[in-house]
Amino acid sequence: RCPLLPSPPPSALLLHPPPSMWSARRILWAAWTSNFLVAVVFSLTSVFNGKSLDALYSKISADDETANALLGGIITTSAWGVILVALFSIFSLIVLLRKTIALTGAGFSYGIIVGSAIHMFFALCEVSVSLNAHDSWLKDLPQGLWANSQQNVYQAVYFLGFISAGCFLLLATIMIICMKAVVPAEVPGGGGGPELDTFGRPLALTDASRYRDNNPFGNAA
């Protein structure tokens, strides 16, 4: 029969704590994934709505400069929101993957992601407010030019834009709170203290005792 191993002292538990179900890293990635999914829904809805706006653009007379200018502004605003979401998603994914794997600390790139998330909050709010301002103009168009179903999709775009903006602000807050997800874990007893083994014993002591046990001359002495 195998002898029972001694239970590790409390210092070993501090070195190897049990994994937490909601660690800072998991919370960070859950927040990023949720924000990404909402942003993707907003982007896909904007692209689908852009097709309707492009069809409307071809129906409006070229002599109506005001309508063409308003419609061009709506299309540009929607496209700008989608481009910002795509750029943030790609850049933040690369940075967070590197940071959470290498654990090199927050650093400059992590701060850029936090600042960009706050910027995305204001940018998507501006996009949604601008689209909302043109809602009444589209609603007053003749039924043959702009159907009710198209109006509903248009309203869904800026509603999702406001929701996505709130998600970006929440993501920035969580990234600040869960900054330890990209920071190496501190080893208890560090800062000049002795290095410990798995069971919390000083490595220098265990190495010395192991050498003494295996040295016949030391035992004879």
Side-chain angles (χ1 to χ4, degrees):
R1 294 180 298 176
C2 296
L4 295 177
L5 295 176
S7 59
S11 56
L13 296 179
L14 293 176
L15 278 174
H16 304 279
S20 175
M21 183 176 181
W22 288 104
S23 61
R25 187 180 303 181
R26 291 186 179 183
I27 294 175
L28 177 61
W29 277 113
W32 186 91
T33 304
S34 301
N35 176 80
F36 175 74
L37 292 177
V38 175
V40 167
V41 174
F42 162 75
S43 301
L44 293 178
T45 309
S46 298
V47 171
F48 184 76
N49 180 69
K51 296 181 179 180
S52 300
L53 293 173
D54 186 65
L56 176 62
Y57 196 83
S58 61
K59 296 178 183 178
I60 295 179
S61 174
D63 298 333
D64 194 345
E65 297 181 357
T66 302
N68 285 309
L70 289 174
L71 192 56
I74 295 173
I75 296 175
T76 303
T77 301
S78 301
W80 177 239
V82 174
I83 292 173
L84 288 178
V85 167
L87 292 176
F88 177 87
S89 300
I90 296 173
F91 182 64
S92 62
L93 178 61
I94 295 174
V95 171
L96 289 182
L97 279 175
R98 179 178 177 272
K99 290 293 183 180
T100 55
I101 293 176
L103 297 179
T104 56
F108 181 70
S109 58
Y110 191 88
I112 289 181
I113 297 299
V114 175
S116 298
I118 298 175
H119 170 262
M120 287 296 299
F121 165 73
F122 291 104
L124 288 183
C125 282
E126 183 180 1
V127 168
S128 301
V129 169
S130 178
L131 295 178
N132 185 30
H134 295 83
D135 181 79
S136 59
W137 176 74
L138 289 172
K139 191 181 298 183
D140 293 338
L141 291 176
Q143 185 68 23
L145 293 178
W146 190 252
N148 291 331
S149 59
Q150 296 172 318
Q151 180 68 19
N152 293 334
V153 175
Y154 179 82
Q155 292 176 344
V157 172
Y158 62 78
F159 277 131
L160 288 171
F162 283 122
I163 295 174
S164 183
C167 291
F168 274 104
L169 184 61
L170 180 61
L171 175 62
T173 304
I174 292 177
M175 289 184 67
I176 295 174
I177 297 175
C178 298
M179 196 176 296
K180 63 180 180 180
V182 297
V183 177
E186 296 183 0
V187 178
E195 188 177 359
L196 306 178
D197 64 2
T198 307
F199 296 99
R201 298 171 298 186
L203 284 178
L205 179 61
T206 55
D207 291 342
S209 61
R210 189 181 303 110
Y211 173 78
R212 185 176 60 251
D213 294 338
N214 296 330
N215 185 5
F217 300 99
N219 294 335

